[in-house]
């Protein structure tokens, strides 16, 4: 395992993923019933933006730093507030020095009745995550392969909640593994909300995954919905940092698509690199 999220923390892909994560958790807060967040590939939790890794690529400078300075409509300010309030809480002096990863964003939006399970396999990242969540009785960090945890941890006993599937896509077969693990998990818990992150490099790989997931969702009883979001900040050049990423959301809250239609157009200018960014938001078809 070579992947270190510290190089990428707070980049455009994190920003889009974490806005969506926070919108879904905010929706889950509307009902008093407890929910559980299952983060299958959780990362280190908190990233030092002054570290060598973060400084080297400087990816956060074109991600969270741009968003924090963007002029947004009142509506988008309100919709991104739950996420940005958490980022601000980790930067109390105003200057951006730290970036919270998905477990801390989830944790920041949980109520006393809610729970978080976070899997992280890389020992240093896991140790860091255990450190930031120490003494936290609502959060559990597990030393378990996320691909095993995904089917094993569902359905949660609360029967409400969200599974974030955010692997590093280092292995060549990661798209296939994701499809297989999702299929087993979804069969056990067809009413859960699943958020699947993917890099957009091969159109064939992404379309195959999206169609397979959409087919499974459509065949469930009652049928589940899917929402596909892709965000591209620049054309992808060979060997360059990732410029386009996707999220596939299974059983999204009915409010999410409308919220994203408000938020995403306002992120095209601030997050674009050498021109405006572009997004795609659609309900995917199960068949080509
Ligand atoms: N979800 C995090 C966030 O949004 O802040 C970022 C996670 S990063 C993209 C992927 C993480 O998965 C890395 O920290 C990596 O060490 C970890 N990882 C890689 N393979 C894994 C596996 N099989 N099971 C669990 N974690 C794994």
């Amino acid at each position: 395992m070579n992947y270190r999220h510290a190089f990428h923390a707070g980049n455009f892909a994190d920003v889009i993923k974490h806005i969506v994560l926070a919108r879904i958790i905010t929706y889950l807060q509307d009902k008093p019933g407890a929910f559980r967040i299952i983060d299958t590939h959780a990362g280190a939790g908190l990233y030092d933006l002054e570290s060598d890794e973060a400084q080297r690529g400087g990816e956060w400078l074109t991600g969270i730093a741009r968003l924090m300075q963007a002029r947004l409509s009142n509506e988008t300010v309100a919709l991104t507030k739950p996420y940005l309030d958490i980022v601000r809480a980790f930067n109390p002096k105003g200057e951006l020095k730290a970036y919270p990863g998905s477990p801390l964003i989830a944790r920041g939006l949980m109520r006393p009745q809610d729970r978080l399970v976070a899997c992280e396999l890389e020992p240093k990242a896991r140790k860091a995550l255990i450190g930031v969540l120490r003494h936290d009785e609502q959060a559990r960090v597990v030393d378990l392969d996320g691909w095993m945890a995904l089917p094993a941890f569902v359905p949660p006993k609360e029967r409400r909640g969200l599974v974030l599937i955010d692997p590093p896509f280092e292995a060549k077969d990661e798209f296939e593994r994701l499809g297989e693990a999702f299929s087993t998990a979804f069969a056990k818990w067809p009413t859960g909300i699943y958020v699947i992150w993917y890099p957009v490099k091969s159109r064939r790989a992404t379309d195959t995954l999206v169609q397979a997931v959409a087919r499974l969702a459509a065949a469930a009883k009652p049928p589940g919905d899917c929402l596909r979001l892709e965000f591209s900040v620049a054309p992808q050049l060979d060997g360059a940092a990732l410029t386009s990423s996707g999220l596939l959301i299974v059983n999204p809250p009915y409010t999410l698509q409308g919220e994203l239609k408000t938020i995403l157009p306002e992120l095209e200018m601030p997050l674009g690199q050498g021109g405006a960014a572009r997004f795609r938001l659609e309900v995917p078809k199960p068949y080509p």
Side-chain angles (χ1 to χ4, degrees):
M1 271 193 306
N2 294 317
Y3 183 87
R4 297 287 175 277
H5 197 64
F7 288 98
H8 312 292
N11 69 1
F12 81 94
D14 260 11
V15 164
I16 302 291
K17 171 179 57 184
H18 294 154
I19 288 175
V20 169
L21 179 66
R23 286 313 317 154
I24 298 176
I25 302 178
T26 305
Y27 173 85
L28 286 169
Q29 292 172 339
D30 271 357
K31 285 190 187 154
F35 60 77
R36 181 171 299 238
I37 309 296
I38 300 167
D39 195 341
T40 61
H41 297 74
L46 188 62
Y47 300 92
D48 175 3
L49 297 178
E50 294 180 314
S51 69
D52 283 351
E53 292 98 323
Q55 291 287 328
R56 219 180 299 168
E59 293 187 26
W60 62 277
L61 292 167
T62 48
I64 186 62
R66 295 249 193 106
L67 177 61
M68 298 287 267
Q69 305 211 321
R71 292 179 61 148
L72 304 170
S73 68
N74 290 344
E75 212 179 336
T76 294
V77 167
L79 290 169
T80 52
K81 191 174 184 302
Y83 161 56
L84 287 177
D85 276 354
I86 295 169
V87 178
R88 286 186 201 106
F90 284 99
N91 294 280
K93 293 191 177 145
E95 205 182 335
L96 262 177
K97 290 188 178 285
Y99 186 76
S102 52
L104 292 191
I105 288 166
R107 190 63 194 90
L109 293 168
M110 283 162 48
R111 307 154 304 171
Q113 64 269 43
D114 306 322
R115 295 289 177 272
L116 166 71
V117 185
C119 305
E120 175 53 55
L121 217 48
E122 200 280 311
K124 274 196 187 154
R126 187 174 58 253
K127 193 172 168 214
L129 184 57
I130 291 171
V132 289
L133 291 172
R134 70 184 170 275
H135 308 312
D136 189 328
E137 304 209 331
Q138 290 175 249
R140 190 156 63 94
V141 178
V142 289
D143 175 9
L144 189 62
D145 188 324
W147 297 128
M148 288 170 66
L150 173 54
F153 287 174
V154 298
K157 74 173 186 331
E158 296 82 0
R159 301 265 164 178
R160 291 186 77 219
L162 174 159
V163 184
L164 174 63
I165 309 170
D166 184 18
F169 288 90
E170 274 185 315
K172 276 218 158 78
D173 64 347
E174 209 100 88
F175 274 94
E176 288 78 20
R177 271 178 117 176
L178 203 166
E180 281 162 25
F182 170 79
S183 161
T184 317
F186 185 71
K188 289 178 70 183
W189 192 32
T191 54
I193 300 172
Y194 297 82
V195 178
I196 299 169
W197 183 92
Y198 57 86
V200 181
K201 283 187 178 164
S202 148
R203 184 49 64 203
R204 192 158 151 253
T206 54
D207 284 354
T208 305
L209 173 74
V210 171
Q211 275 158 20
V213 168
R215 252 193 317 273
L216 286 169
K221 289 191 178 69
D225 295 322
C226 288
L227 189 61
R228 174 187 203 166
L229 153 61
E230 289 180 3
F231 199 89
S232 177
V233 294
Q236 185 69 55
L237 301 177
D238 276 351
L242 185 73
T243 56
S244 186
S245 69
L247 288 172
L248 180 58
I249 303 129
V250 181
N251 295 324
Y254 75 95
T255 43
L256 187 65
Q257 189 172 5
E259 293 173 353
L260 293 174
K261 278 185 184 163
T262 301
I263 298 169
L264 294 172
E266 295 188 40
L267 302 187
E268 285 182 322
M269 282 312 287
L271 296 185
Q273 298 179 16
R278 301 175 69 158
F279 74 89
R280 166 181 182 183
L281 182 67
E282 65 185 31
V283 174
K285 296 190 188 75
Y287 296 97

